């Protein structure tokens, strides 16, 4: 590299890179490092450019992997970087552009080489490359562990260096290097339960930085700081296009420059690192301290002392965090963070459920579900589980019917000029169920959708007429499906009597599944009628309009008990409408229903146990979450650090 390098094509022949990767050791005090770190060439701004960079440097990297055991030049580079970081804070205060630029370049090279080494060798071999002793010219397990020192230094840099225009890029690069350090998982099909990340991050010198690192990453996410404009950049403005890292820092930044998809590389990379840390498996002798920090932090306005049993505790501004979470739900990673906090941090859950502006959080989640065709299945699951967790709270279920929304522009099936948040939630969840029935047919998604509706059912209030119609329409769809499967089962049984050689589909299992779903829907309708009949004339209207649907289930042994109240309501109100005469207007029918609700003795409706479903995380959740998090890291970084053919953890054609 050096100050004369200006094109990617020059890199394989570059004298400084050849010396770095060559057969001779370079002392950390050699002036060579200043020359190496003064490189600049046009910055890559796309994943294609980044791939070209990788191809241009492949020979250099291979030479370094081969020669470093004898030269220790990688260790010397790291020592140069470590010595420079001691002066980084002062350099930022003095606005020493050149010093920060060179330090940034050093970290970029380290990050890039670390990726190569992790990809090319086992963890044991990797650690040997970081324990080279200059005097003996060999590796030693007793020598200072440069890898641990590097990780600690990165954590200090992330948490302690003030974020200003001059330090923005190096802060992003430090976070990216941490992600690369943790990327050993990508090269294993099974979830790692012991690795160098466990060794360094869960004990030893790095452990005291746990809460400070988590807090810093959260605030980086909250603040959504944009990169400095070109005029304020740390790198000298040269005719060849500026420093390497301009527009390239951390990969996500370069993708953002090309696609305008990510406005804050720092916030995005911070969130990804936070999720990676939170989903590390526990060490053999200690729980994951980063997860402990995430599930226990409190609001800055909470003055109560932390229990002594809670390690790595800290405080953060919940209002700012809530606002950012509401604004950022278009991304998988922000939705995954929201899920993590709601599910595991009781302080956050209590705070959010007490908010009087829950529509700001719920509406983005509903929009994810509404656009299910455009989202990957994991994002949809996370959004749905968030709703399920929220609906476990009766206060939430009551309050959402008190929030009136106007002109929901993204809901295209019908113009909704005015609707409660509760009714909109019902509409979107039912739409998700119907989509699942016709497309994905995922029982897990079905179950969670129905569980959320069941949790809400006793608190249904003033249901919008369209929401009431959709509840009954869903039941109609299920009824038709039930009749179809029943007919197929009957025909299949007849066929089996005439031929014993042909294997038959398992219609009995299909019938059992559809009957479970039908019973759940009947329980939801029954729950609303038994507890909130007087609040829901529109549901009674919809029931009466489609009353013939329920006739076949009155005597069905699987539904007789739950049909009692529904049958009673249909019979009672049908009788009152019959007495009122024929050709009644919609308004008149609703008026009769409202009068009938007052007249119907409440004790005539049979009481059933309240429907309550709690979200329970599956056993070994890391088998789902770790591949999911790393797929987000990979896709967000646009392939900067990892080639698809190298990755073992997940298939690259998955959604």
């Amino acid at each position: 590299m050096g100050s004369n390098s200006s094109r990617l094509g020059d890199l394989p022949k570059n004298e400084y890179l050849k010396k770095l990767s060559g057969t001779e050791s370079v002392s950390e005090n050699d002036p060579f490092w200043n020359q190496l770190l003064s490189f600049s060439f046009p910055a890559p701004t796309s994943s294609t450019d980044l791939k070209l960079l990788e191809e241009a440097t492949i020979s250099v990297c291979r030479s370094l992997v081969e020669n470093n055991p004898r030269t220790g030049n990688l260790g010397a580079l790291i020592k140069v970087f470590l010595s420079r970081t001691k002066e980084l804070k002062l350099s930022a205060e003095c606005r020493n552009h050149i010093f920060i630029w060179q330090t940034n370049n050093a970290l970029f090279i380290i990050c890039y080489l670390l990726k190569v080494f992790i990809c090319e060798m086992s963890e044991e071999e990797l650690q040997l490359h970081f324990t080279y002793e200059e005097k003996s010219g060999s590796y030693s397990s007793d020598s200072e562990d440069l890898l641990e020192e590097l990780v600690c230094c990165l954590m200090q840099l992330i948490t302690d260096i003030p974020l200003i225009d001059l330090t923005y890029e190096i802060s992003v690069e430090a976070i990216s290097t941490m992600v690369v350090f943790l990327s050993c998982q990508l090269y294993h099909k099974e979830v790692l339960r012991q690795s160098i990340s466990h060794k360094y991050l869960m004990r030893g010198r790095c452990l005291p930085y746990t809460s400070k690192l988590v807090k810093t990453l959260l605030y980086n996410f909250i603040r959504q700081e944009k990169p400095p404009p070109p005029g304020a950049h740390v790198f000298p403005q040269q005719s060849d296009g500026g420093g390497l890292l301009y527009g390239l820092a951390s990969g996500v930044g370069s993708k953002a420059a090309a696609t305008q998809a990510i406005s804050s590389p720092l916030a995005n990379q911070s969130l990804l690192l936070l999720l990676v840390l939170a989903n590390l498996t526990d060490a053999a002798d200690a729980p994951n301290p980063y997860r402990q920090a995430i599930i226990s932090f409190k609001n800055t306005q909470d003055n109560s002392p932390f229990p002594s049993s809670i390690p790595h505790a800290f405080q953060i501004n919940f209002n700012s965090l809530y606002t950012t979470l509401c604004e950022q739900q278009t991304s998988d990673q922000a939705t995954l963070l929201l899920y993590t906090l709601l599910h595991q941090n009781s302080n956050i859950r209590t705070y959010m459920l007490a908010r009087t502006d829950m529509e700001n959080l719920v509406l983005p989640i509903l929009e994810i579900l509404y656009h299910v065709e455009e989202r990957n299945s994991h994002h949809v699951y996370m959004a749905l589980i968030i709703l399920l967790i929220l609906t476990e709270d009766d206060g939430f279920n009551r309050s959402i019917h008190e929030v009136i929304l106007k002109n929901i522009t993204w809901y295209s099936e019908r113009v909704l000029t005015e609707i409660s948040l509760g009714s909109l939630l019902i509409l979107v969840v039912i739409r998700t169920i119907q989509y699942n029935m016709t497309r994905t047919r995922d029982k897990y998604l079905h179950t969670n959708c129905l569980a959320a509706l069941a949790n809400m059912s006793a608190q249904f209030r003033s249901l919008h007429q369209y929401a009431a119609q959709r509840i009954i329409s869903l039941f109609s769809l299920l009824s038709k499906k039930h009749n179809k499967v029943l007919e197929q089962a009957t025909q299949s049984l007849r066929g089996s009597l005439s031929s014993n050689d042909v294997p038959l589909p398992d219609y009995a299992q299909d019938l059992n599944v559809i009957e479970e779903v039908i019973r759940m829907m009947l329980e939801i309708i029954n729950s609303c009628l038994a507890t909130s009949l007087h609040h829901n004339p529109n549901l009674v209207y919809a029931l009466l309009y489609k009353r013939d649907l329920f006739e076949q289930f009155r005597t069905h042994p699987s539904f007789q008990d739950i049909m009692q109240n529904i049958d009673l309501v249909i019979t009672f109100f049908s009788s009152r409408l019959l007495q009122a005469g024929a050709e009644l207007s919609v308004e008149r029918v609703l008026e009769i229903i409202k009068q009938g609700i007052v007249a119907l003795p409440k004790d005539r409706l049979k009481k059933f146990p309240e429907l309550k479903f709690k979200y329970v995380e599956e056993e070994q959740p890391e088998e789902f979450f770790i591949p999911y998090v790393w797929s987000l890291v990979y896709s967000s970084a646009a392939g900067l650090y990892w080639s698809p053919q190298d990755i073992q953890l997940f298939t690259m054609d998955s959604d």
Side-chain angles (χ1 to χ4, degrees):
M1 295 189 177
S3 58
N4 295 325
S5 282
S6 59
R7 296 198 313 271
L8 285 174
D10 295 334
L11 294 181
K13 307 175 212 174
N14 182 275
E15 59 180 300
Y16 299 102
L17 288 179
K18 288 172 78 173
K19 186 172 182 178
L20 172 67
S21 61
T23 57
E24 294 183 12
S25 297
V26 183
S27 167
E28 60 192 271
N29 300 315
D30 196 303
F32 157 80
W33 298 109
N34 281 335
Q35 296 167 321
L36 172 71
L37 301 179
S38 298
F39 62 82
S40 61
F41 56 86
T45 56
S46 69
S47 56
T48 302
D49 291 343
L50 297 167
K51 186 178 179 182
L52 291 174
L53 173 62
E54 187 164 313
E55 290 172 351
T57 56
I58 190 167
S59 61
V60 172
C61 292
R62 284 175 177 168
S63 294
L64 184 63
V65 169
E66 182 181 345
N67 294 322
N68 189 64
R70 291 177 295 278
T71 66
N73 285 346
L74 176 60
L77 172 61
I78 290 172
K79 288 180 180 178
V80 169
F81 169 73
L82 293 174
S83 66
R84 281 175 164 270
T85 56
K86 296 172 184 175
E87 303 174 45
L88 199 56
K89 202 168 185 178
L90 180 61
S91 298
E93 293 171 359
C94 300
R95 303 193 70 81
N96 187 337
H97 290 236
I98 300 297
F99 185 87
I100 296 174
W101 171 51
Q102 291 181 331
T103 308
N104 204 357
N105 284 344
L107 183 54
F108 173 77
I109 298 174
I110 291 168
C111 183
Y112 187 80
L113 293 175
L114 184 60
K115 172 259 174 183
V116 173
F117 276 60
I118 288 174
C119 179
E120 293 289 329
M121 62 190 68
S122 68
E123 290 190 0
E124 292 75 16
E125 292 174 299
L126 177 68
Q127 288 179 278
L128 286 176
H129 277 271
F130 285 85
T131 51
Y132 177 87
E133 277 194 345
E134 187 175 355
K135 290 180 182 177
S136 62
S138 63
Y139 295 108
S140 169
S141 59
D142 298 327
S143 61
E144 187 175 18
D145 192 332
L146 271 179
L147 190 53
E148 182 177 33
E149 196 170 342
L150 174 63
V151 173
C152 285
C153 178
L154 292 172
M155 294 174 85
Q156 288 176 317
L157 196 158
I158 294 166
T159 58
D160 294 346
I161 299 300
L163 186 63
I164 58 175
D165 55 354
L166 296 180
T167 60
Y168 187 96
E169 297 288 4
I170 198 168
S171 296
V172 177
E173 198 62 45
I175 293 168
S176 296
T177 308
M178 284 287 292
V179 173
V180 170
F181 165 69
L182 290 158
S183 68
C184 293
Q185 177 64 80
L186 280 174
Y187 306 103
H188 295 79
K189 288 184 179 179
E190 291 78 29
V191 169
L192 289 178
R193 301 185 185 278
Q194 283 298 324
S195 66
I196 55 173
S197 57
H198 290 82
K199 175 181 177 181
Y200 296 128
L201 294 176
M202 297 196 184
R203 57 178 69 85
R205 294 168 54 192
C206 295
L207 190 60
Y209 293 100
T210 297
S211 59
K212 198 172 183 181
L213 178 62
V214 171
K215 183 175 182 178
T216 300
L217 295 174
L218 274 172
Y219 269 123
N220 285 347
F221 168 69
I222 288 169
R223 289 167 180 149
Q224 294 289 315
E225 293 279 359
K226 293 178 172 56
H233 210 276
V234 304
F235 306 113
Q237 299 300 303
Q238 301 178 16
S239 59
D240 61 13
L244 171 65
L245 298 184
Y246 181 76
L248 172 65
S250 80
V252 174
S254 62
K255 184 184 180 186
T259 66
Q260 302 297 313
I262 298 171
S263 61
S264 175
L266 179 65
N268 188 67
Q269 286 296 82
S270 295
L271 179 52
L272 290 171
L273 175 56
L274 186 65
L275 292 172
V276 170
L277 290 170
N279 286 282
L280 288 173
T281 56
D282 293 336
D285 55 351
N288 178 347
Y290 303 93
R291 188 183 304 122
Q292 285 185 314
I294 287 169
I295 69 176
S296 62
F297 68 83
K298 299 195 305 184
N299 196 350
T300 49
Q301 297 180 354
D302 186 346
N303 296 320
S304 61
F306 281 102
S308 57
S309 59
I310 298 180
H312 316 298
F314 64 93
Q315 291 177 290
I316 209 163
N317 188 307
F318 277 15
N319 182 60
S320 300
L321 178 58
Y322 178 81
T323 301
T324 304
L325 284 168
C326 293
E327 293 171 349
Q328 298 297 319
Q329 286 307 304
T330 52
S331 77
D332 280 72
Q333 47 265 39
T335 304
L336 181 53
L337 176 63
L338 175 59
Y339 158 79
T340 303
L341 295 176
L342 270 176
H343 177 48
Q344 300 189 18
N345 189 316
S346 59
N347 300 319
I348 279 282
R349 185 167 60 252
T350 301
Y351 173 84
M352 288 187 175
L353 288 169
R355 294 282 302 206
T356 57
D357 60 347
M358 278 297 287
E359 67 272 17
N360 292 337
L361 185 67
V362 175
L363 281 172
I365 299 300
L366 294 183
E367 204 165 347
I368 293 169
L369 292 175
Y370 185 79
H371 296 294
V372 59
E373 302 94 337
E374 302 165 19
R375 305 290 182 181
N376 70 66
S377 60
H378 294 338
H379 199 183
V380 172
Y381 282 144
M382 289 299 100
L384 186 55
I385 292 169
I386 287 167
L387 286 185
L388 179 55
I389 292 171
L390 292 173
T391 60
E392 291 171 12
D393 183 77
D394 285 340
F396 171 83
N397 294 332
R398 283 191 298 270
S399 65
I400 54 175
H401 292 287
E402 297 166 2
V403 178
I404 304 301
L405 308 168
K406 296 183 184 295
N407 300 317
I408 308 301
T409 55
W410 48 262
Y411 194 96
S412 59
E413 275 88 344
R414 178 165 172 157
V415 176
L416 299 175
T417 54
E418 186 172 290
I419 189 171
S420 72
L421 179 60
S423 288
L424 181 63
L425 196 159
I426 292 166
L427 285 175
V428 173
V429 171
I430 287 175
R431 185 180 183 275
T432 306
I433 293 173
Q434 291 178 321
Y435 174 84
N436 186 52
M437 285 177 64
T438 57
R439 305 284 183 86
T440 55
R441 300 182 182 181
D442 186 321
K443 185 180 178 182
Y444 180 77
L445 191 144
H446 249 26
T447 302
N448 284 289
C449 282
L450 290 168
L453 287 176
N455 284 346
M456 296 166 58
S457 59
Q459 307 293 338
F460 284 172
R461 296 288 186 276
S462 305
L463 288 183
H464 191 281
Q465 61 181 20
Y466 186 52
Q469 288 171 19
R470 298 311 296 164
I471 290 172
I472 305 305
S473 293
L474 175 58
F475 184 81
S476 174
L477 186 65
L478 292 167
S479 176
K480 289 175 184 175
K481 190 172 180 65
H482 177 266
N483 292 340
K484 183 179 179 181
V485 173
L486 192 59
E487 183 181 347
Q488 289 172 332
T490 304
Q491 291 176 351
S492 175
L493 187 61
R494 287 173 185 160
S496 69
L497 297 175
S498 58
S499 173
N500 296 322
D501 300 328
V502 181
L504 300 173
D506 189 0
Y507 289 114
Q509 184 177 352
D510 291 346
L511 199 60
N512 184 54
V513 170
I514 193 69
E515 287 185 357
E516 283 181 11
V517 176
I518 286 175
R519 180 171 179 87
M520 189 81 158
M521 278 303 300
L522 289 172
E523 287 178 339
I524 289 167
I525 295 169
N526 178 74
S527 173
C528 177
L529 296 178
T531 57
S532 306
L533 179 67
H534 54 296
H535 289 298
N536 293 291
N538 283 329
L539 182 61
V540 176
Y541 183 99
L543 265 176
L544 294 173
Y545 191 75
K546 293 282 188 179
R547 54 182 172 266
D548 292 345
L549 280 175
F550 298 88
E551 188 65 32
Q552 63 176 308
F553 299 106
R554 289 176 61 192
T555 56
H556 195 293
S558 298
F559 311 118
Q560 272 183 311
D561 59 333
I562 207 70
M563 276 295 300
Q564 288 181 42
N565 286 341
I566 297 172
D567 191 37
L568 186 152
V569 168
I570 290 174
T571 303
F572 177 82
F573 285 96
S574 295
S575 172
R576 294 182 73 90
L577 289 176
L578 192 62
Q579 293 172 18
E583 298 183 9
L584 300 172
S585 67
V586 173
E587 291 76 15
R588 179 60 182 145
V589 171
L590 280 171
E591 184 183 340
I592 293 169
I593 289 172
K594 290 174 183 177
Q595 292 169 353
I597 286 172
V598 176
L600 178 64
K602 302 297 183 290
D603 57 1
R604 289 185 61 185
L605 294 171
K606 183 180 177 181
K607 297 297 180 185
F608 286 85
E610 185 179 3
L611 296 177
K612 272 298 170 189
F613 294 88
K614 287 184 71 69
Y615 168 67
V616 179
E617 205 167 60
E618 294 184 8
E619 291 184 16
Q620 295 187 312
E622 64 274 7
E623 300 289 344
F624 169 81
F625 285 104
I626 289 177
Y628 180 31
V629 168
W630 279 106
S631 71
L632 296 180
V633 173
Y634 175 87
S635 60
S636 184
L640 172 63
Y641 294 122
W642 304 281
S643 300
Q645 62 266 26
D646 296 327
I647 294 174
Q648 298 294 316
L649 182 61
F650 52 86
T651 55
M652 298 314 301
D653 58 353
S654 66
D655 62 0

